[in-house]
Amino acid sequence: MLFDVDGVLVHGYTGQLQRRRRWDEHLLADLGIDSSAFTEFFIKQVFEKEVLTGRKALISALEETLPKLGFHGSPFVVASYWLNRDSHINMQLLELVRQIRRTGQVRLYVATNQEHMRAFHLWNRHGFENLFDDMFHAARFGELKPGRGFFERASDILGAQSEPPLFFDDSEAVVEAVNAFGWEGVLYQDVSDCAEHPWIAQLLSQHA
């Protein structure tokens, strides 16, 4: 069973606009960086193209770009600010994951478009290491969801499965790609999408 991060395990950036939470709302007031410029010149031009796929480290990429945005302090300041404000954990879902793990009947994974630093931050600081067996992230694979290569790499690690892996994601494009790959993709909007899934509901009722 696999779970996406943003919009699923973490309340944050999601294509579902009514649920989106911004980490950069006070970026200008706090660090003097215009959030629109940061999105345009860093997120779109550098982060999505080079950092997420592991071709460039986050700190190096920030160090190159921030002076162009008028910020001349340490890139670690911005990275720390970003990580700490983009970690609103979905505690309801994590409690459900905890219940699923206690059954001992299923292996649990994180599958997400992340760069290395945030992936480790979530794994180590926010307790993912205690709930999940592994984290599959874009920088590790050099592939982004919904690209087929991402699922091929994950499948290689998972090995042969008796049932199609169950994958919860907030992106319709990813869910479609998951289903096309032969897994079962479920569009996540709230915790009931997971809790009321027939297989999970039956599993938990058997171990109540």
Side-chain angles (χ1 to χ4, degrees):
M1 191 179 303
L2 303 96
F3 297 85
D4 179 37
V5 169
D6 295 300
V8 182
L9 293 171
V10 171
H11 299 298
Y13 185 87
T14 171
Q16 299 169 15
L17 298 181
Q18 71 279 10
R19 297 199 301 116
R20 183 177 295 179
R21 293 193 190 182
R22 290 179 53 192
W23 67 269
D24 60 352
E25 188 173 2
H26 303 292
L27 187 60
L28 181 60
D30 292 342
L31 296 181
I33 302 171
D34 181 84
S35 60
S36 297
F38 187 83
T39 297
E40 185 63 32
F41 296 106
F42 182 72
I43 299 296
K44 292 183 179 180
Q45 300 300 319
V46 182
F47 185 75
E48 292 180 352
K49 296 179 180 179
E50 298 182 88
V51 179
L52 275 181
T53 53
R55 292 197 292 269
K56 183 174 289 188
L58 176 63
I59 295 300
S60 299
L62 285 170
E63 190 163 38
E64 293 173 6
T65 306
L66 289 173
K68 302 172 187 177
L69 302 178
F71 183 86
H72 299 283
S74 169
F76 283 98
V77 172
V78 178
S80 179
Y81 181 94
W82 186 353
L83 291 176
N84 289 329
R85 285 161 179 75
D86 204 16
S87 299
H88 300 287
I89 304 299
N90 185 343
M91 300 307 294
Q92 267 191 307
L93 181 57
L94 253 65
E95 176 55 34
L96 182 63
V97 170
R98 202 169 281 113
Q99 293 174 34
I100 295 170
R101 186 172 184 84
R102 281 199 292 262
T103 69
Q105 300 299 304
V106 60
R107 294 178 69 82
L108 300 164
Y109 300 88
V110 180
T112 177
N113 285 342
Q114 301 293 331
E115 51 78 38
H116 293 304
M117 181 175 285
R118 185 164 183 245
F120 182 74
H121 178 81
L122 291 167
W123 185 262
N124 180 258
R125 182 169 177 180
H126 292 285
F128 283 19
E129 63 182 340
N130 299 318
L131 295 174
F132 299 97
D133 294 285
D134 202 350
M135 179 183 288
F136 306 146
H137 65 285
R140 174 181 175 182
F141 288 174
E143 299 276 358
L144 292 167
K145 296 180 302 175
R148 185 177 178 85
F150 184 97
F151 305 112
E152 289 175 341
R153 285 292 308 278
S155 184
D156 288 343
I157 296 171
L158 292 174
Q161 302 288 309
S162 58
E163 298 287 342
L166 183 58
F167 196 127
F168 292 93
D169 202 288
D170 66 309
S171 165
E172 291 184 5
V174 171
V175 170
E176 289 175 3
V178 168
N179 289 325
F181 190 69
W183 293 359
E184 181 183 353
V186 177
L187 184 66
Y188 182 93
Q189 295 177 298
D190 62 56
V191 70
S192 65
D193 295 312
C194 183
E196 296 175 8
H197 184 280
W199 189 87
I200 294 174
Q202 181 180 17
L203 175 69
L204 294 179
S205 68
Q206 291 172 348
H207 291 81

